[in-house]
């Protein structure tokens, strides 16, 4: 999905009525891409989905928006190796609606797992589709000849971030701790911070090897180099903005001056250069 389409879907989640969101999803196509053996990535609108297939049941990482749930279910069923197309487990990497919107639908067949802060934040909006299994630091699932490590990281994108590692396949799903080739969204109202985001990516880079495919929260299937590029961009742009702030430049001055030209391609419809500058300027 291109940057414009994703921006529209994110805005839909926050600005439109449920009926309008449903209508906006009518033309969305869910595309499945094999990542490694029985691990797949599904892309549509909202956060990328990770799927582990096998006779023991289907495990899904994130579930996009509720109106897309039947399409997601059908996309899984269309994969030839899907012996159990009904979803048995869903892990929410965080609470945002473009990653957890399908919870109510999939809870009919699946157990929902997430960090305890995800359940707390979702419960403020609804008592339906809540994770029934929560954890503090993480949990492991063993199915389909795979050891799945679900790990909570300190507050970065939000205060409930989890990443998932398929150990035997050597595949990672980083949720929204990875926006590929675009300025990331750091939800400060949801407990996130620029400092925490940087620390989390830095710690992940020590764990991920060069050959591991990475499913980003948004963007195309990626690798360690792509994740390093994201970290380098954040550090460099943070230094640009904080240096100007230290000299006494106002937020308006920094926005007017803009970032270095080499970062122009990272601008997109949801997190524009202006929004990214505001995030960096107000960060500690």
């Amino acid at each position: 999905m291109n940057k414009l389409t994703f921006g529209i879907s994110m805005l839909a989640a926050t600005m439109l009525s449920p009926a309008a969101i449903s209508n906006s999803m009518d033309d969305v196509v869910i595309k499945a891409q094999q990542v490694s053996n029985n691990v797949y990535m599904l892309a549509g609108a909202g956060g990328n989905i990770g799927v582990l297939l096998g006779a023991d049941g289907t495990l899904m990482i994130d579930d996009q928006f509720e109106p897309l749930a039947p399409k997601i279910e059908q996309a899984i069923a269309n994969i030839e190796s899907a012996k159990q197309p009904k979803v048995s487990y869903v892990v929410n990497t965080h609470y945002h609606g473009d990653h957890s919107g399908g919870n109510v639908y999939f809870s009919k067949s699946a157990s929902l797992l997430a960090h305890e802060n995800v359940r707390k934040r979702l419960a403020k909006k609804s008592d339906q589709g809540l994770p029934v299994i929560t954890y503090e630091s993480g949990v492991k699932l063993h199915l389909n000849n795979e050891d799945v490590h679900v790990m909570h990281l300190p507050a970065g994108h939000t205060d409930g971030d989890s990443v998932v590692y398929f150990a035997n396949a050597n595949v990672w799903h980083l949720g929204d701790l990875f926006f590929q080739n675009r300025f990331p969204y750091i939800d400060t109202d949801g407990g996130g911070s620029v400092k925490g985001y940087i620390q989390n990516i830095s710690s992940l880079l020590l764990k991920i090897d060069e050959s591991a495919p990475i499913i980003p929260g948004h963007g195309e299937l990626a690798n360690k180099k792509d994740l390093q590029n994201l970290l380098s961009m954040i550090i460099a742009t943070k230094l640009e903005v904080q240096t100007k702030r230290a000299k006494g430049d106002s937020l308006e001055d920094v926005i007017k001056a803009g970032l270095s030209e080499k970062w122009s391609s990272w601008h997109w419809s949801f997190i524009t250069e202006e929004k990214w500058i505001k995030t960096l300027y107000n960060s500690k």
Side-chain angles (χ1 to χ4, degrees), residues 2-3 10 40 57 64 74 87 181 184 201 204 217 234 237 281:
N2 62 36
K3 294 182 180 182
M10 285 290 289
Y40 287 76
Q64 296 192 0
Q74 186 59 53
V87 178
N181 293 331
I201 296 178
L204 286 167
I234 296 173
T237 54
Y281 190 91

Side-chain angles (χ1 to χ4, degrees), residues 123-138:
K124 293 179 180 179
K125 298 181 179 181
S126 174
D127 60 357
Q128 298 183 20
L130 299 179
V132 297
I133 302 172
T134 61
Y135 48 84
E136 292 184 6
S137 59

Side-chain angles (χ1 to χ4, degrees), residues 107-127:
S107 66
K108 299 172 185 177
S109 65
S111 297
L112 308 182
L113 300 83
H115 184 262
E116 55 190 18
N117 287 345
V118 174
R119 178 181 169 89
K120 290 176 183 177
R121 290 191 178 279
L122 290 176
K124 293 179 180 179
K125 298 181 179 181
S126 174
D127 60 357

Side-chain angles (χ1 to χ4, degrees), residues 33 35 41-43 46-50 61-62 64 93-94 99 171-182 197 213-223 226-227 230:
Q33 177 181 358
V35 179
M41 182 178 97
L42 270 57
N48 288 326
I49 294 171
I61 314 301
D62 289 337
Q64 296 192 0
T93 61
H94 59 288
H99 293 256
V171 174
W172 291 79
H173 189 307
L174 301 189
D176 277 2
L177 283 169
F178 191 4
F179 285 72
Q180 190 205 21
N181 293 331
R182 64 194 72 179
Y197 203 99
I214 305 174
I215 300 173
H218 300 279
E220 298 179 356
L221 186 65
N223 55 40
D226 297 319
L227 184 61
L230 173 64

Side-chain angles (χ1 to χ4, degrees), residues 54-153:
D56 295 334
T58 296
L59 165 67
M60 190 162 68
I61 314 301
D62 289 337
D63 52 26
Q64 296 192 0
F65 297 105
E66 186 170 10
L68 295 177
K71 292 184 179 183
I72 294 168
E73 194 171 54
Q74 186 59 53
I76 294 173
N78 289 342
I79 299 172
E80 291 184 3
S81 59
K83 298 178 181 179
Q84 298 287 343
K86 278 287 184 182
V87 178
S88 304
Y89 305 94
V90 174
V91 175
N92 293 143
T93 61
H94 59 288
Y95 78 97
H96 290 154
D98 62 316
H99 293 256
S100 65
N103 278 10
V104 173
Y105 182 93
F106 288 107
S107 66
K108 299 172 185 177
S109 65
S111 297
L112 308 182
L113 300 83
H115 184 262
E116 55 190 18
N117 287 345
V118 174
R119 178 181 169 89
K120 290 176 183 177
R121 290 191 178 279
L122 290 176
K124 293 179 180 179
K125 298 181 179 181
S126 174
D127 60 357
Q128 298 183 20
L130 299 179
V132 297
I133 302 172
T134 61
Y135 48 84
E136 292 184 6
S137 59
V139 65
K140 293 181 182 179
L141 294 88
H142 307 277
L143 69 162
N144 302 328
N145 299 314
E146 186 59 78
D147 298 321
V148 184
H149 300 248
V150 182
M151 298 166 276
H152 171 63
L153 274 67

Side-chain angles (χ1 to χ4, degrees), residues 141-214:
L141 294 88
H142 307 277
L143 69 162
N144 302 328
N145 299 314
E146 186 59 78
D147 298 321
V148 184
H149 300 248
V150 182
M151 298 166 276
H152 171 63
L153 274 67
H157 173 61
T158 69
D159 61 6
D161 299 332
S162 292
V163 299
V164 180
Y165 179 48
F166 300 93
N168 298 332
N170 192 29
V171 174
W172 291 79
H173 189 307
L174 301 189
D176 277 2
L177 283 169
F178 191 4
F179 285 72
Q180 190 205 21
N181 293 331
R182 64 194 72 179
F183 296 134
Y185 172 45
I186 297 178
D187 184 359
T188 54
D189 291 335
S193 73
V194 174
K195 180 179 179 181
Y197 203 99
I198 290 173
Q199 290 175 337
N200 285 343
I201 296 178
S202 298
S203 68
L204 286 167
L205 285 167
L206 296 175
K207 298 178 175 129
I208 299 172
D209 67 44
E210 303 291 340
S211 64
I214 305 174

